[in-house]
Amino acid sequence: MREKELEKIKEYKYGFSTDIEDVKAPKGLNKKVIQFISKIKNEPKWMLDWRLKAYDRLQKLTEPDWQKPKYPKINYQDLYYYSAPKSMKDKPKNLEDLDPKLLETYKKLGIPLQEQKKLNNIAVDAVFDSVSVATTFKEKLTEKGIIFCPISEAIQKHPDLVKKYLGSVIPLTDHYFATLNSAVFTDGSFVYIPKNVRCPMELSTYFRINASETGQFERTLIIADEGSYVSYLEGCTAPMRDENQLHAANVELIALDNAEIKYSTVQNWYPGDKDGKGGIYNFVTKRGACRGKNSKISWTQVETGSAITWKYPSCILQGDNSVGEFYSIAITNNYQKADTGTKMIHLGKNTKSKIISKGISAGFADNTYRGLVDINRKAENARNYTQCDSLLMGSKCGAHTIPYIKNKNSSSNIEHEATTSKISEEQLFYCNQRGLNQEEAVSLIVNGFCKDVLQQLPMEFAVEAQKLVGISLEGSVG
Amino acid sequence: MLKINNLSAKIENKQILNGLNLNVKAGEIHAIMGPNGSGKSTLANILSGKKGYEISGSITYQDKDLFKLEIEERAHNGLFLAFQYPLEIPGVNTSNFLKTSLNAIRKSNGKKELDALEFLKIIKLKAAELKIDEKILNRQLNVGFSGGEKKKNEILQMSLYEPNMVILDETDSGLDIDALKIVANGVNSLRDKKRSFLIITHYQRLLDYIKPDFVHVLMQGKIAKTGCSDLALELEKAGYEKI
Ligand SMILES: Nc1ncnc2c1ncn2[C@@H]1O[C@H](COP(=O)(O)OP(=O)(O)O)[C@@H](O)[C@H]1O
Ligand SMILES: [Mg+2]
């Protein structure tokens, strides 16, 4: 292997690609391609109609351009919208029939799918490009009436639930990327937790982009019925490529009365190389509706990858006494850019929201927190607490905090705190003197800075995330 | 142990050290006194490897060229500096910091890293021996610590890492008598034939508890005078002008 490549692999250890024969839709975005996707997935007519409606709507929309990170124009006709391993065509019935190359890929990513090696107490749905290739622990979950399956399977097996909730939080017509996703989404996870069931294990989806020139458009839908609880985690990686690849997912969460959803993301898409070449455009729409009273939705995100991260996981607090939380770590190094934050829409009485954002910038990177706290006229006694901290490493990076507040109810209470700090030479000297090298020192200081957010992650992932935080900043000092 | 030869140092074109010589043998305790701004902390910083100085001269430490070692490598080789102003690191738990550091040092010396339980046992013992309240272990590193707590934390780390060459930079400044005794006790309990100390202080009173082998006066960038512990008493009475 050439030295340069070796060096690259050290930087981003998930950067390999799997050489696998695939089935692709023809290049381009048009009704034929949408029909192709719908057909290959054996979708009912209502689903195809829904997609086509989104496509028609898309013709009238333009891409938003108010975000801070600008990007070169994307040629939507020059992308593949569907790519799946050929071996997935005649759906393997169980893991033993799965292409060994796929098993190997996930093993390399640290996600063993085989029965005997499964992660302890974590059910995994593995999505490879445009299809879900495996879901573990299915039987154990079924016992409790929990549905955890690829969304393409849910469309066929649970059409009533899908019809009722799909697009109910992110409407077809929402905005360019959300509508694009509605037209061409390929796979993703579907979760339904029945009334009064506490999901006995972490549910998790692992997204992997493999094919080149292919966009990934997954769709996740999670419904927590009355009195239920679920903790869900998504992880993502992609090979290193010189091209920029588009990832435009939609995630919808619905929490009914007294239900709670905890949604965690560890996003580690390929960030591009040191000079900013390549990397994923991570343009994602995530929104949760606290539809029932006393319901709760909590977003935790650790965003370390992608060339551009542009997302605002939000909560619509409809139910009285409902709670929305957003905990975020966004790390940008080299030429990475992030414009991320949340929207907390307070509609019900006594609704509460909490926003903790930690932005870390190094190299030439640019990191923006953008958030909206919107208190509706009828939202009596709404409360929000926002804390935005930025940490800068070096003098060539940027950090920005843009908190919007719309307050239409005088009984509300909104608190906002913001800090910007730098890792000082003196702090590093102190750590070095105690035997820590530069990278260990930075990792320790940054993990300290992020602690309030890392604590929110499920235990199994907190350790991984801590390491990732350190790795993402490697080479950023000294 | 430590041999400083004709050391000169400038920062921002300001000459701070100017031909300093010092020889510390294994097992010795040297005290360095000197007026404010005479370069005592500068000396301590240079020994620990802090960057930003224009340096000439040479330093050998354990028969190695000290300038060839990175800051953390000096620490791995048993050089420890108790900071005059210990740094605050928000969010970093003190106990975790101490454990991470100890393990970094152990690892570099080919020793097994300690797990959380093993570490806890050791640190609790050390804290008890030194009569340091172990509550500081659960707080963020030095954040909101009183001056005394910060200094005690430095002493606790000194005794944890069991270094070969200890430099204390005004660890006694601003301490009440009880805290001072904790510092002295920490030093005395580590004192042995193989370990050396360089104790930078302003006051004679610490030397009531720690008997140094030599007392040096640092002035005009070099050692202006060397004596035994009586010199400290003299200085306390007559000040630095007479030297
Ligand atoms: N980073 C710096 N830039 C400029 N001058 C400095 C710097 N650090 C120390 N000095 C100066 O060097 C001199 C010696 O400082 P220091 O070693 O801290 O003295 P001491 O510890 O003996 O009180 C002082 O005059 C101080 O102002
Ligand atoms: Mg000083």
Side-chain angles (χ1 to χ4, degrees):
Chain A
M1 216 182 291
R2 291 204 317 276
E3 205 159 298
K4 205 174 141 204
E5 267 168 43
L6 266 174
E7 197 179 278
K8 265 185 165 180
I9 285 190
K10 186 183 159 250
E11 284 158 22
Y12 184 74
K13 70 173 177 174
Y14 308 107
F16 64 91
S17 61
T18 309
D19 187 13
I20 199 161
E21 218 186 323
D22 54 20
V23 178
K24 281 194 168 92
K27 244 186 195 177
L29 179 60
N30 51 55
K31 288 195 174 177
K32 279 225 170 73
V33 165
I34 292 169
Q35 278 154 353
F36 176 98
I37 294 171
S38 193
K39 187 156 178 238
I40 205 164
K41 290 188 169 292
N42 249 326
E43 283 178 357
K45 185 164 178 303
W46 61 265
M47 195 67 247
L48 175 64
D49 291 345
W50 199 80
R51 289 175 178 277
L52 292 172
K53 207 168 137 195
Y55 177 78
D56 286 339
R57 173 71 191 181
L58 188 69
Q59 307 313 309
K60 300 189 187 84
L61 295 175
T62 48
E63 290 169 58
D65 67 351
W66 44 261
Q67 83 288 7
K68 188 137 192 311
K70 303 299 177 200
Y71 54 93
K73 209 158 172 44
I74 297 169
N75 183 355
Y76 291 95
Q77 298 306 337
D78 198 32
L79 289 180
Y80 292 107
Y81 288 83
Y82 181 88
S83 167
K86 202 168 183 182
S87 57
M88 292 305 294
K89 212 175 165 190
D90 348 275
K91 286 216 151 178
K93 287 280 167 304
N94 50 42
L95 283 166
E96 283 67 49
D97 303 332
L98 202 61
D99 188 332
K101 272 188 183 164
L102 286 170
L103 288 176
E104 187 58 29
T105 300
Y106 283 93
K107 206 177 128 200
K108 257 167 117 173
L109 295 169
I111 317 284
L113 299 173
Q114 286 111 313
E115 200 64 29
Q116 63 277 26
K117 292 183 194 130
K118 277 188 304 201
L119 295 170
N120 223 349
N121 217 34
I122 304 165
V124 180
D125 184 22
V127 177
F128 191 87
D129 288 332
S130 308
V131 286
S132 165
V133 295
T135 311
T136 61
F137 283 113
K138 254 184 165 165
E139 298 74 26
K140 191 164 175 204
L141 292 168
T142 311
E143 276 171 28
K144 297 221 162 207
I146 294 166
I147 307 170
F148 178 45
C149 67
I151 195 152
S152 45
E153 189 181 317
I155 289 166
Q156 299 185 19
K157 290 193 183 155
H158 311 282
D160 294 344
L161 282 170
V162 176
K163 266 192 208 164
K164 184 168 176 191
Y165 290 108
L166 189 73
S168 76
V169 192
I170 305 173
L172 262 188
T173 52
D174 203 74
H175 69 93
Y176 190 87
F177 293 105
T179 303
L180 174 64
N181 176 287
S182 296
V184 301
F185 76 87
T186 43
D187 226 334
S189 299
F190 176 85
V191 175
Y192 172 77
I193 314 289
K195 278 185 193 169
N196 301 319
V197 169
R198 198 182 160 87
C199 186
M201 59 177 74
E202 302 285 337
L203 302 185
S204 133
T205 304
Y206 194 90
F207 294 103
R208 173 74 177 168
I209 292 179
N210 189 59
S212 62
E213 296 176 86
T214 304
Q216 198 180 40
F217 304 92
E218 18 40 67
R219 183 112 199 170
T220 293
L221 177 59
I222 300 177
I223 304 142
D225 212 328
E226 292 172 21
S228 68
Y229 168 87
V230 63
S231 169
Y232 176 93
L233 184 126
E234 68 170 8
C236 352
T237 58
M240 294 183 289
R241 293 223 169 80
D242 288 345
E243 66 186 35
N244 291 110
Q245 278 181 282
L246 177 64
H247 168 83
N250 281 6
V251 175
E252 294 177 281
L253 313 182
I254 296 114
L256 301 181
D257 287 359
N258 304 306
E260 179 176 350
I261 302 174
K262 192 173 159 60
Y263 191 106
S264 314
T265 305
V266 176
Q267 185 264 111
N268 188 21
W269 295 119
Y270 177 52
D273 70 7
K274 276 205 162 64
D275 306 314
K277 200 168 169 47
I280 302 290
Y281 291 156
N282 188 33
F283 301 168
V284 168
T285 308
K286 288 182 167 166
R287 205 173 295 162
C290 282
R291 219 155 263 178
K293 58 176 198 285
N294 309 317
S295 57
K296 179 174 174 183
I297 289 179
S298 178
W299 298 99
T300 303
Q301 60 173 21
V302 179
E303 303 284 324
T304 63
S306 297
I308 302 176
T309 293
W310 185 14
K311 59 184 283 210
Y312 312 93
S314 303
C315 297
I316 302 167
L317 304 171
Q318 285 167 276
D320 290 347
N321 313 316
S322 61
V323 177
E325 292 176 340
F326 175 72
Y327 298 95
S328 171
I329 297 170
I331 298 181
T332 50
N333 194 2
N334 299 318
Y335 286 89
Q336 280 178 278
K337 295 183 169 65
D339 189 325
T340 184
T342 183
K343 290 190 264 186
M344 292 292 175
I345 318 283
H346 291 255
L347 301 173
K349 294 191 183 70
N350 306 316
T351 45
K352 273 197 281 189
S353 64
K354 184 170 168 187
I355 301 170
I356 308 282
S357 161
K358 307 277 179 178
I360 299 145
S361 274
F364 299 89
D366 201 68
N367 206 321
T368 300
Y369 167 82
R370 191 190 300 271
L372 169 67
V373 176
D374 185 341
I375 314 258
N376 193 268
R377 204 164 35 83
K378 289 181 185 148
E380 288 293 320
N381 295 317
R383 275 194 285 163
N384 163 264
Y385 174 76
T386 300
Q387 188 188 329
C388 294
D389 299 320
S390 305
L391 186 68
L392 294 168
M393 301 175 63
S395 51
K396 297 194 177 72
C397 51
H400 320 273
T401 302
I402 311 175
Y404 301 98
I405 296 171
K406 282 194 213 161
N407 187 1
K408 298 214 185 77
N409 189 312
S410 60
S411 67
S412 65
N413 183 345
I414 302 173
E415 278 178 81
H416 181 93
E417 285 177 29
T419 66
T420 301
S421 53
K422 261 190 171 183
I423 295 187
S424 74
E425 287 296 321
E426 295 284 335
Q427 283 174 325
L428 289 173
F429 174 50
Y430 187 78
C431 295
N432 294 155
Q433 209 299 307
R434 301 299 143 96
L436 305 176
N437 66 31
Q438 207 72 333
E439 263 146 25
E440 290 164 333
V442 168
S443 171
L444 193 79
I445 294 172
V446 171
N447 272 299
F449 174 77
C450 300
K451 196 185 59 184
D452 296 346
V453 176
L454 288 170
Q455 274 171 353
Q456 296 299 323
L457 286 174
M459 248 240 289
E460 294 87 338
F461 299 100
V463 179
E464 274 306 304
Q466 267 181 34
K467 278 192 210 144
L468 189 58
V469 164
I471 292 167
S472 313
L473 288 165
E474 248 170 44
S476 59
V477 284
Chain B
M1 174 75 72
L2 183 73
K3 215 169 188 167
I4 305 175
N5 209 338
N6 201 21
L7 179 69
S8 296
K10 273 196 216 171
I11 191 161
E12 288 167 10
N13 268 324
K14 188 174 162 188
Q15 192 78 41
I16 299 171
L17 300 179
N18 197 357
L20 184 143
N21 294 296
L22 187 68
N23 191 358
V24 181
K25 296 207 183 88
E28 290 178 351
I29 296 187
H30 291 238
I32 294 192
M33 304 181 78
N36 284 329
S38 58
K40 302 181 298 295
S41 292
T42 303
L43 174 63
N45 288 341
I46 289 172
L47 290 172
S48 328
K50 192 173 184 195
K51 312 236 155 56
Y53 301 97
E54 216 178 293
I55 297 174
S56 67
S58 66
I59 305 176
T60 48
Y61 170 63
Q62 295 177 328
D63 301 323
K64 286 187 215 105
D65 180 353
L66 190 65
F67 294 144
K68 291 223 170 94
L69 300 178
E70 292 293 335
I71 309 169
E72 66 272 16
E73 290 171 332
R74 299 181 194 196
H76 298 162
N77 281 289
L79 190 139
F80 177 85
L81 167 64
F83 281 57
Q84 182 174 3
Y85 305 109
L87 274 293
E88 301 189 0
I89 307 188
V92 174
N93 174 273
T94 301
S95 175
N96 183 37
F97 179 82
L98 268 55
K99 178 174 144 250
T100 309
S101 292
L102 178 64
N103 278 336
I105 294 169
R106 288 180 66 94
K107 195 171 154 198
S108 71
N109 287 295
K111 286 190 204 156
K112 183 180 118 356
E113 292 179 56
L114 301 180
D115 65 30
L117 275 176
E118 291 167 325
F119 170 76
L120 215 60
K121 230 164 130 182
I122 293 177
I123 194 69
K124 285 192 163 196
L125 203 73
K126 296 269 181 198
E129 269 172 22
L130 292 168
K131 299 201 176 70
I132 293 174
D133 190 346
E134 60 181 59
K135 276 200 199 107
I136 62 166
L137 293 170
N138 294 323
R139 292 167 59 185
Q140 300 177 40
L141 185 62
N142 291 325
V143 177
F145 281 27
S146 69
E149 283 169 334
K150 284 184 181 170
K151 299 297 179 73
K152 284 183 208 167
N153 190 18
E154 295 293 281
I155 292 302
L156 182 60
Q157 290 177 68
M158 171 187 80
S159 97
L160 178 66
Y161 308 144
E162 300 180 336
N164 303 315
M165 175 78 234
V166 177
I167 305 159
L168 302 183
D169 190 359
E170 290 200 33
T171 304
D172 55 331
S173 288
L175 294 188
D176 60 32
I177 192 73
D178 291 335
L180 190 73
K181 279 183 185 162
I182 288 176
V183 170
N185 184 21
V187 170
N188 288 328
S189 63
L190 275 190
R191 188 172 194 170
D192 72 15
K193 281 198 210 85
K194 287 192 204 129
R195 192 169 279 131
S196 311
F197 292 83
L198 199 60
I199 298 176
I200 296 169
T201 177
H202 258 311
Y203 308 101
Q204 193 276 329
R205 72 179 179 155
L206 178 66
L207 306 180
D208 284 342
Y209 300 97
I210 305 170
K211 278 265 154 279
D213 299 295
F214 300 95
V215 176
H216 309 279
V217 180
L218 177 57
M219 276 175 87
Q220 267 112 42
K222 54 179 89 157
I223 303 295
K225 193 166 183 177
T226 296
C228 54
S229 38
D230 295 345
L231 179 59
L233 281 167
E234 261 173 61
L235 287 170
E236 184 98 340
K237 280 203 202 97
Y240 295 107
E241 281 91 62
K242 290 242 171 101
I243 292 169

